[in-house]
Amino acid sequence: MAARILHRLRHALSGEGSREQRAHGSCEAEDFPESSELEDDTEGLSTRLSGTLSFTSQEEEEEEEEEEEEEEGAGEELVEPPQPTEAAAGAEDGEWGPAAQRPGGSLLTRQLQELWRRSRGSLAPQRLLFEVTSASVVSERSSKYVLYTIYLIRSGQFDKAPAAIARRYSDFERLNRRLRCRFGCDMADVAFPRKRLRRNFTAETIAKRSRAFEQFLSHLHSIAEIRRSPEFLEFFFLQDLRAAQRLTCTGMYREALATWANAYRLQDRLGVCGSGRFLLTLAGLAVCHQELDQLGEAHGCCEQALQLLEAQGSHPLLGPFLQAHIHLAWKVGKDKRRSEARLQDLREAGPPLQQQPTLKECLIKEPLD
């Protein structure tokens, strides 16, 4: 009898084991089917890359990781406390007083205040994003090319008047070639879309190049030496400065004003508001505003330029800006005594100002190579 029961027990156990093996084998077969292969997902890749892409420097990534860790830690600390029992509730009302003075409540309040102070006091790096907003095929007499419109956007901000440029593939290629000649090591890991012998004007090629140009500019901007270089900066605003200067010389002040304003925004986004090009841009804005009888705006441009020239004892544009500021201040009824005193000091220290050109003459004669 005992032997028969033992035999049935062994038979049952062996049956369960075989079923487990069969089930385990079927799971493995489902997890790793023989027919599974890698497929070319070009269309899906294009769809996933349809958004704005940006790169950050290594320092920015480390700071972002630290911020994420702080936020995660704060989230763990600020978990809602369990509901108190009746005895604890009585103790809170009678012994601990108001909720703001209870140990749990005061700890939570201190944590929130500390988190708020830390978030306000932290100087998180502000990234600059490059987004291709449109691309159009341009046909001229003997050439055909694609013109890409790129917006420069500060992360976390909304621009009512965004800075924009329009560039073709040859412009990007020239920038890439110049930077590789000067920054060979830094440019080793920067990818650039290669030329194509055909199918340059298909929607797929234009979309892929748009994403590639966004990555290219973002990667360049993440390298400090490159984003400060004249080659990188002039790629963005030198064309606008030349066009604005040409329009100003021909008396098309309204069109020139819009171009000077876009050059101003580009330099502001790129963080080069103390350069000589920026002073020239302020001069262009002041001249165009004055010619269009917008004297208040012209006066403001001169004031901004004089603030930038405050620490400089001498500059080719200092005398012309002082003279223009004094004239405009008299027109709009603003105080001009400080500018008159600076102009007198400049007259005593240097050559006669009568021989110096006006702001408009400086603007027209400035070479923009």
Side-chain angles (χ1 to χ4, degrees):
M1 186 67 179
R4 189 179 303 153
I5 294 173
L6 183 60
H7 177 71
R8 291 179 179 175
L9 182 60
R10 288 177 179 173
H11 182 71
L13 290 175
S14 62
E16 291 178 359
S18 62
R19 283 195 299 270
E20 290 177 359
Q21 291 177 358
R22 288 194 299 271
H24 184 66
S26 62
C27 290
E28 290 182 350
E30 292 176 359
D31 293 338
F32 305 100
E34 295 179 359
S35 61
S36 62
E37 296 178 357
L38 293 176
E39 298 179 357
D40 186 11
D41 187 19
T42 305
E43 296 181 358
L45 181 61
S46 301
T47 303
R48 290 194 299 273
L49 294 181
S50 60
T52 301
L53 301 176
S54 64
F55 282 80
T56 56
S57 61
Q58 185 176 1
E59 296 178 356
E60 292 175 350
E61 291 177 354
E62 291 176 356
E63 292 180 2
E64 288 178 357
E65 291 177 359
E66 292 178 359
E67 290 177 0
E68 291 178 357
E69 291 176 359
E70 290 177 356
E71 291 176 358
E72 292 176 359
E76 293 175 359
E77 292 175 358
L78 300 181
V79 176
E80 184 179 355
Q83 297 296 329
T85 59
E86 294 181 0
E92 289 177 358
D93 296 336
E95 186 176 353
W96 291 345
Q101 299 178 359
R102 293 194 295 267
S106 60
L107 178 62
L108 183 60
T109 304
R110 286 197 302 271
Q111 291 169 353
L112 287 171
Q113 293 174 348
E114 180 63 27
L115 180 61
W116 173 249
R117 282 194 298 267
R118 191 164 59 241
S119 64
R120 291 194 64 184
S122 63
L123 298 176
Q126 192 175 66
R127 290 182 297 173
L128 189 64
L129 306 179
F130 303 89
E131 182 177 356
V132 177
T133 58
S134 64
S136 56
V137 179
V138 179
S139 297
E140 294 182 346
R141 294 179 181 178
S142 59
S143 65
K144 183 180 179 181
Y145 58 88
V146 180
L147 196 63
Y148 299 89
T149 301
I150 302 118
Y151 276 25
L152 280 69
I153 305 169
R154 287 196 184 111
S155 60
Q157 290 191 3
F158 173 75
D159 290 328
K160 294 182 179 179
I165 60 173
R167 300 291 183 268
R168 52 192 291 185
Y169 180 89
S170 58
D171 297 323
F172 285 98
E173 187 183 32
R174 189 181 304 110
L175 173 64
N176 179 58
R177 185 170 61 251
R178 294 178 65 190
L179 291 177
R180 290 188 186 279
C181 290
R182 184 177 175 186
F183 304 98
C185 296
D186 292 326
M187 292 291 294
D189 296 330
V190 179
F192 186 78
R194 66 179 184 274
K195 280 187 175 181
R196 298 174 65 100
L197 298 178
R198 56 189 181 87
R199 298 176 59 84
N200 285 302
F201 304 103
T202 63
E204 182 181 3
T205 299
I206 294 174
K208 287 183 177 180
R209 279 188 174 175
S210 299
R211 303 289 81 78
F213 288 146
E214 289 175 356
Q215 295 183 53
F216 175 68
L217 294 177
S218 297
H219 199 164
L220 294 179
H221 188 263
S222 70
I223 304 172
E225 292 78 7
I226 291 179
R227 71 168 172 261
R228 300 191 192 105
S229 66
E231 294 85 357
F232 180 76
L233 295 173
E234 291 177 355
F235 168 81
F236 289 95
F237 54 79
L238 186 58
Q239 289 188 22
D240 275 11
L241 292 180
R242 287 172 176 167
Q245 186 186 49
R246 187 166 54 251
L247 291 169
T248 305
C249 292
T250 56
M252 303 177 67
Y253 299 112
R254 195 168 300 279
E255 294 80 358
L257 181 61
T259 311
W260 286 119
N262 189 63
Y264 178 99
R265 290 190 294 269
L266 287 168
Q267 293 173 82
D268 176 61
R269 303 299 185 276
L270 294 167
V272 287
C273 293
S275 64
R277 302 290 197 197
F278 190 71
L279 287 171
L280 186 69
T281 305
L282 288 173
L285 290 170
V287 168
C288 290
H289 279 304
Q290 185 174 2
E291 293 292 339
L292 294 172
D293 203 27
Q294 300 170 356
L295 303 183
E297 290 81 354
H299 177 264
C301 293
C302 290
E303 280 201 332
Q304 185 178 358
L306 291 176
Q307 289 175 2
L308 293 174
L309 293 168
E310 185 73 31
Q312 300 189 27
S314 63
H315 190 278
L317 290 175
L318 178 57
F321 266 120
L322 284 171
Q323 294 183 78
H325 184 260
I326 293 171
H327 175 73
L328 290 167
W330 176 76
K331 286 279 189 180
V332 298
K334 299 289 185 179
D335 187 9
K336 55 186 175 61
R337 289 173 295 179
R338 178 172 173 76
S339 293
E340 288 176 336
R342 292 182 67 184
L343 188 61
Q344 182 64 30
D345 294 340
L346 194 63
R347 182 180 289 113
E348 295 174 355
L353 291 179
Q354 288 78 7
Q355 300 177 2
Q356 290 191 356
T358 64
L359 198 60
K360 185 176 181 180
E361 291 173 342
C362 290
L363 184 68
I364 294 173
K365 294 179 181 179
E366 178 68 20
L368 291 173
D369 299 328

mmCIF file of all heavy atoms in Angstrom, residues 143-170:
data_model
loop_
_atom_site.group_PDB
_atom_site.id
_atom_site.type_symbol
_atom_site.label_atom_id
_atom_site.label_comp_id
_atom_site.label_asym_id
_atom_site.label_seq_id
_atom_site.Cartn_x
_atom_site.Cartn_y
_atom_site.Cartn_z
ATOM 1 N N SER A 143 20.887 78.610 -60.406
ATOM 2 C CA SER A 143 21.090 77.744 -59.233
ATOM 3 C C SER A 143 19.763 77.458 -58.550
ATOM 4 O O SER A 143 18.770 78.175 -58.744
ATOM 5 C CB SER A 143 22.057 78.395 -58.245
ATOM 6 O OG SER A 143 21.499 79.582 -57.721
ATOM 7 N N LYS A 144 19.796 76.413 -57.762
ATOM 8 C CA LYS A 144 18.642 75.999 -56.978
ATOM 9 C C LYS A 144 19.160 75.475 -55.645
ATOM 10 O O LYS A 144 20.078 74.653 -55.611
ATOM 11 C CB LYS A 144 17.857 74.916 -57.719
ATOM 12 C CG LYS A 144 16.590 74.456 -57.026
ATOM 13 C CD LYS A 144 15.899 73.381 -57.859
ATOM 14 C CE LYS A 144 14.643 72.870 -57.199
ATOM 15 N NZ LYS A 144 13.984 71.796 -57.993
ATOM 16 N N TYR A 145 18.589 75.965 -54.558
ATOM 17 C CA TYR A 145 19.081 75.572 -53.244
ATOM 18 C C TYR A 145 17.937 75.622 -52.245
ATOM 19 O O TYR A 145 16.851 76.148 -52.526
ATOM 20 C CB TYR A 145 20.226 76.488 -52.795
ATOM 21 C CG TYR A 145 19.882 77.947 -52.735
ATOM 22 C CD1 TYR A 145 19.339 78.518 -51.586
ATOM 23 C CD2 TYR A 145 20.106 78.772 -53.839
ATOM 24 C CE1 TYR A 145 19.013 79.859 -51.537
ATOM 25 C CE2 TYR A 145 19.784 80.117 -53.799
ATOM 26 C CZ TYR A 145 19.247 80.658 -52.645
ATOM 27 O OH TYR A 145 18.927 81.993 -52.599
ATOM 28 N N VAL A 146 18.205 75.073 -51.049
ATOM 29 C CA VAL A 146 17.238 75.068 -49.951
ATOM 30 C C VAL A 146 17.670 76.104 -48.923
ATOM 31 O O VAL A 146 18.835 76.126 -48.497
ATOM 32 C CB VAL A 146 17.140 73.679 -49.298
ATOM 33 C CG1 VAL A 146 16.117 73.698 -48.161
ATOM 34 C CG2 VAL A 146 16.760 72.630 -50.329
ATOM 35 N N LEU A 147 16.758 76.967 -48.525
ATOM 36 C CA LEU A 147 17.024 77.996 -47.526
ATOM 37 C C LEU A 147 16.355 77.580 -46.213
ATOM 38 O O LEU A 147 15.132 77.419 -46.148
ATOM 39 C CB LEU A 147 16.483 79.340 -48.000
ATOM 40 C CG LEU A 147 16.993 80.584 -47.272
ATOM 41 C CD1 LEU A 147 18.488 80.745 -47.468
ATOM 42 C CD2 LEU A 147 16.250 81.824 -47.747
ATOM 43 N N TYR A 148 17.168 77.409 -45.178
ATOM 44 C CA TYR A 148 16.686 76.962 -43.864
ATOM 45 C C TYR A 148 16.562 78.173 -42.934
ATOM 46 O O TYR A 148 17.505 78.953 -42.772
ATOM 47 C CB TYR A 148 17.660 75.952 -43.251
ATOM 48 C CG TYR A 148 17.837 74.701 -44.075
ATOM 49 C CD1 TYR A 148 18.807 74.641 -45.073
ATOM 50 C CD2 TYR A 148 17.051 73.573 -43.847
ATOM 51 C CE1 TYR A 148 18.982 73.491 -45.829
ATOM 52 C CE2 TYR A 148 17.218 72.423 -44.603
ATOM 53 C CZ TYR A 148 18.189 72.388 -45.590
ATOM 54 O OH TYR A 148 18.358 71.248 -46.342
ATOM 55 N N THR A 149 15.396 78.332 -42.323
ATOM 56 C CA THR A 149 15.169 79.396 -41.338
ATOM 57 C C THR A 149 15.343 78.820 -39.945
ATOM 58 O O THR A 149 14.657 77.859 -39.568
ATOM 59 C CB THR A 149 13.763 79.992 -41.485
ATOM 60 O OG1 THR A 149 13.618 80.518 -42.811
ATOM 61 C CG2 THR A 149 13.538 81.106 -40.475
ATOM 62 N N ILE A 150 16.261 79.396 -39.179
ATOM 63 C CA ILE A 150 16.601 78.884 -37.848
ATOM 64 C C ILE A 150 16.286 79.943 -36.806
ATOM 65 O O ILE A 150 16.679 81.113 -36.959
ATOM 66 C CB ILE A 150 18.092 78.490 -37.770
ATOM 67 C CG1 ILE A 150 18.420 77.435 -38.841
ATOM 68 C CG2 ILE A 150 18.455 77.971 -36.392
ATOM 69 C CD1 ILE A 150 19.425 77.893 -39.823
ATOM 70 N N TYR A 151 15.573 79.553 -35.760
ATOM 71 C CA TYR A 151 15.286 80.435 -34.631
ATOM 72 C C TYR A 151 16.273 80.145 -33.509
ATOM 73 O O TYR A 151 16.600 78.988 -33.241
ATOM 74 C CB TYR A 151 13.861 80.233 -34.115
ATOM 75 C CG TYR A 151 12.809 81.003 -34.869
ATOM 76 C CD1 TYR A 151 13.004 81.393 -36.188
ATOM 77 C CD2 TYR A 151 11.599 81.358 -34.265
ATOM 78 C CE1 TYR A 151 12.042 82.099 -36.882
ATOM 79 C CE2 TYR A 151 10.630 82.067 -34.953
ATOM 80 C CZ TYR A 151 10.864 82.436 -36.267
ATOM 81 O OH TYR A 151 9.909 83.142 -36.958
ATOM 82 N N LEU A 152 16.735 81.210 -32.847
ATOM 83 C CA LEU A 152 17.568 81.087 -31.649
ATOM 84 C C LEU A 152 16.667 81.345 -30.447
ATOM 85 O O LEU A 152 16.122 82.448 -30.290
ATOM 86 C CB LEU A 152 18.720 82.089 -31.674
ATOM 87 C CG LEU A 152 19.935 81.730 -32.530
ATOM 88 C CD1 LEU A 152 19.605 81.763 -34.015
ATOM 89 C CD2 LEU A 152 21.099 82.681 -32.230
ATOM 90 N N ILE A 153 16.523 80.342 -29.593
ATOM 91 C CA ILE A 153 15.549 80.389 -28.504
ATOM 92 C C ILE A 153 16.268 80.113 -27.198
ATOM 93 O O ILE A 153 17.001 79.122 -27.075
ATOM 94 C CB ILE A 153 14.428 79.353 -28.713
ATOM 95 C CG1 ILE A 153 13.773 79.561 -30.091
ATOM 96 C CG2 ILE A 153 13.393 79.444 -27.606
ATOM 97 C CD1 ILE A 153 12.846 78.439 -30.486
ATOM 98 N N ARG A 154 16.064 80.982 -26.209
ATOM 99 C CA ARG A 154 16.567 80.716 -24.869
ATOM 100 C C ARG A 154 15.638 79.726 -24.182
ATOM 101 O O ARG A 154 14.425 79.899 -24.195
ATOM 102 C CB ARG A 154 16.638 81.998 -24.049
ATOM 103 C CG ARG A 154 17.761 82.942 -24.461
ATOM 104 C CD ARG A 154 17.971 83.959 -23.346
ATOM 105 N NE ARG A 154 18.958 84.953 -23.706
ATOM 106 C CZ ARG A 154 18.678 86.225 -23.949
ATOM 107 N NH1 ARG A 154 17.429 86.643 -23.885
ATOM 108 N NH2 ARG A 154 19.633 87.083 -24.244
ATOM 109 N N SER A 155 16.206 78.696 -23.572
ATOM 110 C CA SER A 155 15.384 77.682 -22.925
ATOM 111 C C SER A 155 14.636 78.297 -21.746
ATOM 112 O O SER A 155 15.186 79.066 -20.965
ATOM 113 C CB SER A 155 16.265 76.527 -22.424
ATOM 114 O OG SER A 155 17.227 76.990 -21.501
ATOM 115 N N GLY A 156 13.350 77.952 -21.643
ATOM 116 C CA GLY A 156 12.541 78.419 -20.529
ATOM 117 C C GLY A 156 12.032 79.834 -20.675
ATOM 118 O O GLY A 156 11.524 80.404 -19.710
ATOM 119 N N GLN A 157 12.151 80.432 -21.862
ATOM 120 C CA GLN A 157 11.670 81.793 -22.056
ATOM 121 C C GLN A 157 10.830 81.869 -23.316
ATOM 122 O O GLN A 157 10.965 81.057 -24.224
ATOM 123 C CB GLN A 157 12.840 82.775 -22.171
ATOM 124 C CG GLN A 157 13.609 82.984 -20.879
ATOM 125 C CD GLN A 157 14.580 84.143 -20.986
ATOM 126 O OE1 GLN A 157 14.639 84.819 -21.993
ATOM 127 N NE2 GLN A 157 15.338 84.365 -19.931
ATOM 128 N N PHE A 158 9.958 82.871 -23.344
ATOM 129 C CA PHE A 158 9.137 83.120 -24.522
ATOM 130 C C PHE A 158 9.555 84.448 -25.127
ATOM 131 O O PHE A 158 9.577 85.473 -24.451
ATOM 132 C CB PHE A 158 7.651 83.162 -24.152
ATOM 133 C CG PHE A 158 6.772 83.572 -25.307
ATOM 134 C CD1 PHE A 158 6.499 82.694 -26.339
ATOM 135 C CD2 PHE A 158 6.234 84.850 -25.362
ATOM 136 C CE1 PHE A 158 5.694 83.073 -27.405
ATOM 137 C CE2 PHE A 158 5.427 85.248 -26.416
ATOM 138 C CZ PHE A 158 5.154 84.346 -27.446
ATOM 139 N N ASP A 159 9.922 84.417 -26.397
ATOM 140 C CA ASP A 159 10.360 85.618 -27.080
ATOM 141 C C ASP A 159 9.225 86.154 -27.955
ATOM 142 O O ASP A 159 8.752 85.450 -28.845
ATOM 143 C CB ASP A 159 11.581 85.319 -27.957
ATOM 144 C CG ASP A 159 12.825 85.024 -27.127
ATOM 145 O OD1 ASP A 159 12.927 85.606 -26.035
ATOM 146 O OD2 ASP A 159 13.664 84.234 -27.566
ATOM 147 N N LYS A 160 8.811 87.386 -27.688
ATOM 148 C CA LYS A 160 7.797 87.998 -28.545
ATOM 149 C C LYS A 160 8.355 88.271 -29.939
ATOM 150 O O LYS A 160 7.646 88.171 -30.934
ATOM 151 C CB LYS A 160 7.304 89.305 -27.909
ATOM 152 C CG LYS A 160 6.548 89.106 -26.602
ATOM 153 C CD LYS A 160 6.059 90.439 -26.065
ATOM 154 C CE LYS A 160 5.286 90.250 -24.769
ATOM 155 N NZ LYS A 160 4.815 91.529 -24.210
ATOM 156 N N ALA A 161 9.635 88.651 -29.988
ATOM 157 C CA ALA A 161 10.296 88.897 -31.273
ATOM 158 C C ALA A 161 11.552 88.041 -31.326
ATOM 159 O O ALA A 161 12.638 88.494 -30.946
ATOM 160 C CB ALA A 161 10.632 90.377 -31.421
ATOM 161 N N PRO A 162 11.440 86.797 -31.739
ATOM 162 C CA PRO A 162 12.601 85.894 -31.711
ATOM 163 C C PRO A 162 13.660 86.293 -32.727
ATOM 164 O O PRO A 162 13.372 86.953 -33.731
ATOM 165 C CB PRO A 162 11.983 84.537 -32.053
ATOM 166 C CG PRO A 162 10.754 84.853 -32.830
ATOM 167 C CD PRO A 162 10.239 86.137 -32.274
ATOM 168 N N ALA A 163 14.883 85.906 -32.447
ATOM 169 C CA ALA A 163 15.985 86.132 -33.377
ATOM 170 C C ALA A 163 16.023 84.991 -34.374
ATOM 171 O O ALA A 163 15.909 83.816 -34.000
ATOM 172 C CB ALA A 163 17.304 86.214 -32.612
ATOM 173 N N ALA A 164 16.194 85.310 -35.644
ATOM 174 C CA ALA A 164 16.128 84.291 -36.690
ATOM 175 C C ALA A 164 17.181 84.565 -37.743
ATOM 176 O O ALA A 164 17.563 85.721 -37.988
ATOM 177 C CB ALA A 164 14.745 84.256 -37.329
ATOM 178 N N ILE A 165 17.656 83.504 -38.375
ATOM 179 C CA ILE A 165 18.570 83.604 -39.508
ATOM 180 C C ILE A 165 18.057 82.682 -40.605
ATOM 181 O O ILE A 165 17.302 81.740 -40.346
ATOM 182 C CB ILE A 165 20.014 83.224 -39.134
ATOM 183 C CG1 ILE A 165 20.070 81.778 -38.609
ATOM 184 C CG2 ILE A 165 20.591 84.193 -38.124
ATOM 185 C CD1 ILE A 165 21.481 81.270 -38.367
ATOM 186 N N ALA A 166 18.474 82.956 -41.834
ATOM 187 C CA ALA A 166 18.148 82.108 -42.978
ATOM 188 C C ALA A 166 19.461 81.745 -43.665
ATOM 189 O O ALA A 166 20.178 82.635 -44.141
ATOM 190 C CB ALA A 166 17.212 82.824 -43.946
ATOM 191 N N ARG A 167 19.794 80.454 -43.687
ATOM 192 C CA ARG A 167 21.057 79.996 -44.234
ATOM 193 C C ARG A 167 20.832 78.788 -45.144
ATOM 194 O O ARG A 167 19.896 78.013 -44.951
ATOM 195 C CB ARG A 167 22.035 79.611 -43.113
ATOM 196 C CG ARG A 167 22.384 80.727 -42.159
ATOM 197 C CD ARG A 167 23.230 81.804 -42.811
ATOM 198 N NE ARG A 167 23.618 82.841 -41.858
ATOM 199 C CZ ARG A 167 22.934 83.952 -41.642
ATOM 200 N NH1 ARG A 167 21.805 84.165 -42.312
ATOM 201 N NH2 ARG A 167 23.365 84.852 -40.785
ATOM 202 N N ARG A 168 21.726 78.646 -46.124
ATOM 203 C CA ARG A 168 21.689 77.512 -47.029
ATOM 204 C C ARG A 168 22.799 76.532 -46.673
ATOM 205 O O ARG A 168 23.647 76.821 -45.825
ATOM 206 C CB ARG A 168 21.822 77.992 -48.474
ATOM 207 C CG ARG A 168 22.996 78.895 -48.696
ATOM 208 C CD ARG A 168 22.951 79.591 -50.051
ATOM 209 N NE ARG A 168 23.155 78.667 -51.146
ATOM 210 C CZ ARG A 168 23.254 79.036 -52.417
ATOM 211 N NH1 ARG A 168 23.155 80.331 -52.737
ATOM 212 N NH2 ARG A 168 23.431 78.151 -53.365
ATOM 213 N N TYR A 169 22.795 75.387 -47.340
ATOM 214 C CA TYR A 169 23.764 74.337 -47.008
ATOM 215 C C TYR A 169 25.197 74.836 -47.166
ATOM 216 O O TYR A 169 26.061 74.522 -46.333
ATOM 217 C CB TYR A 169 23.534 73.119 -47.912
ATOM 218 C CG TYR A 169 24.490 71.967 -47.634
ATOM 219 C CD1 TYR A 169 24.184 70.993 -46.695
ATOM 220 C CD2 TYR A 169 25.692 71.861 -48.329
ATOM 221 C CE1 TYR A 169 25.056 69.946 -46.439
ATOM 222 C CE2 TYR A 169 26.569 70.819 -48.076
ATOM 223 C CZ TYR A 169 26.253 69.862 -47.136
ATOM 224 O OH TYR A 169 27.122 68.835 -46.884
ATOM 225 N N SER A 170 25.473 75.623 -48.201
ATOM 226 C CA SER A 170 26.842 76.102 -48.422
ATOM 227 C C SER A 170 27.318 76.999 -47.286
ATOM 228 O O SER A 170 28.516 77.026 -46.971
ATOM 229 C CB SER A 170 26.923 76.849 -49.756
ATOM 230 O OG SER A 170 26.014 77.941 -49.778
#
